[in-house]
Amino acid sequence: MLKPRKLVMIPGPTPVVRSIQDQMGRETIAFGDPDFIEDFKSVVRDLKELWQCSGQAFVLAGSGTLAMEMAIANISKAGDKALVCSNGFFGDRYAEICRRRGLKVDVLSAKWGSSVTPEDVKNKLSESKYDIVTVTHVETSTGAMAPIDEIGKIVQEHGAFFVVDGVAASGGVEEYVDPMGIDVLISCSQKAFGVAPGLAILWASKRALEKRRSLGTILDSYMDFEKWLPVMEDPSKYWGTHPINMIWALKESLRIIKEEGIEERYARHARQAVMVDEAIASMGLFNIGR
């Protein structure tokens, strides 16, 4: 059991278990080392399998915000129309990112502490044609969770690209790329993965990869799917220097997830969330409406 010296009661960074810390403290080797190449291949493979993505998983040095920008950069062009479903601070951040890239943005906002509903999204999509719909799965600022499976079905019917911000959800809440109709799912290392900050993680559907190819040359280089695809398929190739020790740390995190079983991991998070809610409510700090 993890017994940290400091109790970190925020969504992330979360406490890091010793076995993951040990990976970050290993002697660093060359990113072309055959052993590291095999380790990186296993990380990408596990991410694709566990999140049921038949497209491609990407892991690179960066933050969750980088992953947010990377998602939009590879499936849109200036003038495209985006519906941003905002449950709080980071939903609003996605609206800013889209505007800065020259997209026409409408924001569907939920009251802080609650989430947009499938009905909200369906009604909004009936009013206008959108190229992209973004949803924050679990809003870091409020803890509100969106029903992305139901929303994904509605977005699929509309024909838009479905982008899910999984930063505070991935590894802790049920989330599958292909079954849920997600085109781009983004995350990072320091929340439910239980790794230190430093990795941007992204899954792209086959449809999203095809969209990227249709765009030709894009303004971005570091975030370009086309630059990273050869590397994710064969980590012996080079585009940018890999965060070697962080990749090892993520590999250990994925080993822990597989050992527990991802479905049990989701169930455990749900059980413990109820326990925390009830304990806090018993103190009279807030009414959870039970």
Side-chain angles (χ1 to χ4, degrees):
M1 180 178 290
L2 177 63
K3 294 183 178 179
R5 293 181 180 178
K6 289 188 177 182
L7 181 59
V8 184
M9 296 187 69
I10 58 174
T14 54
V16 179
V17 299
R18 172 51 59 187
S19 65
I20 293 176
Q21 291 181 40
D22 289 344
Q23 294 300 312
M24 292 189 290
R26 286 174 60 180
E27 182 179 357
T28 303
I29 62 177
F31 57 77
D33 185 287
D35 290 336
F36 174 72
I37 290 168
E38 289 306 311
D39 288 340
F40 202 165
K41 283 181 180 177
S42 75
V43 165
V44 175
R45 182 174 60 249
D46 285 346
L47 288 171
K48 290 179 65 175
E49 290 178 358
L50 290 168
W51 274 261
Q52 298 183 29
C53 175
S54 59
Q56 185 60 55
F58 297 82
V59 183
L60 57 153
S63 66
T65 301
L66 174 73
M68 292 172 75
E69 295 209 46
M70 187 174 179
I72 302 301
N74 284 276
I75 61 169
S76 72
K77 61 184 184 301
D80 283 352
K81 194 168 184 180
L83 175 64
V84 175
C85 301
S86 177
N87 301 327
F89 181 86
F90 287 95
D92 292 345
R93 173 173 290 190
Y94 231 146
E96 180 187 356
I97 286 171
C98 290
R99 290 190 185 102
R100 282 173 174 257
R101 300 199 70 85
L103 275 64
K104 299 173 182 175
V105 179
D106 287 338
V107 179
L108 179 60
S109 296
K111 181 181 178 181
W112 274 55
S114 61
S115 168
V116 296
T117 67
E119 292 74 22
D120 293 335
V121 176
K122 186 173 183 178
N123 290 338
K124 193 67 179 178
L125 294 183
S126 69
E127 298 173 2
S128 183
K129 179 69 177 175
Y130 292 93
D131 301 290
I132 295 169
V133 176
T134 77
V135 179
T136 309
H137 191 179
V138 173
E139 172 55 54
T140 301
S141 63
T142 67
M145 183 168 68
I148 60 167
D149 196 7
E150 297 173 62
I151 293 173
K153 292 182 176 68
I154 294 167
V155 175
Q156 277 187 308
E157 292 174 2
H158 183 79
F161 282 86
F162 187 35
V163 177
V164 174
D165 174 355
V167 163
S170 304
V173 181
E174 192 172 30
E175 212 176 49
Y176 299 112
V177 175
D178 293 349
M180 293 183 174
I182 300 172
D183 289 295
V184 186
L185 170 64
I186 66 98
S187 194
C188 58
S189 52
Q190 75 269 19
K191 290 189 168 66
F193 282 104
V195 179
L199 292 178
I201 304 169
L202 183 148
W203 295 260
S205 69
K206 289 182 177 178
R207 181 170 176 248
L209 297 174
E210 290 169 2
K211 177 64 176 180
R212 167 62 195 92
R213 285 191 289 270
S214 75
L215 294 175
T217 302
I218 64 173
L219 293 174
D220 310 273
S221 58
Y222 185 70
M223 295 191 293
D224 190 350
F225 284 176
E226 294 287 284
K227 295 291 189 181
W228 284 110
L229 267 169
V231 180
M232 296 300 118
E233 294 168 353
D234 178 6
S236 67
K237 296 180 179 177
Y238 174 78
W239 171 235
T241 301
H242 304 308
I244 294 163
N245 292 63
M246 292 297 293
I247 297 294
W248 281 332
L250 182 58
K251 182 175 185 290
E252 174 63 10
S253 170
L254 292 167
R255 185 198 66 77
I256 293 169
I257 290 171
K258 290 190 296 180
E259 184 178 78
E260 180 178 15
I262 196 162
E263 293 294 339
E264 172 52 31
R265 187 179 182 88
Y266 294 149
R268 175 172 57 80
H269 276 80
R271 291 194 302 270
Q272 292 179 341
V274 171
M275 292 169 61
V276 171
D277 280 356
E278 291 179 345
I280 293 175
S282 71
M283 301 175 192
L285 296 179
F286 65 87
N287 182 357
I288 59 176
R290 296 185 187 280

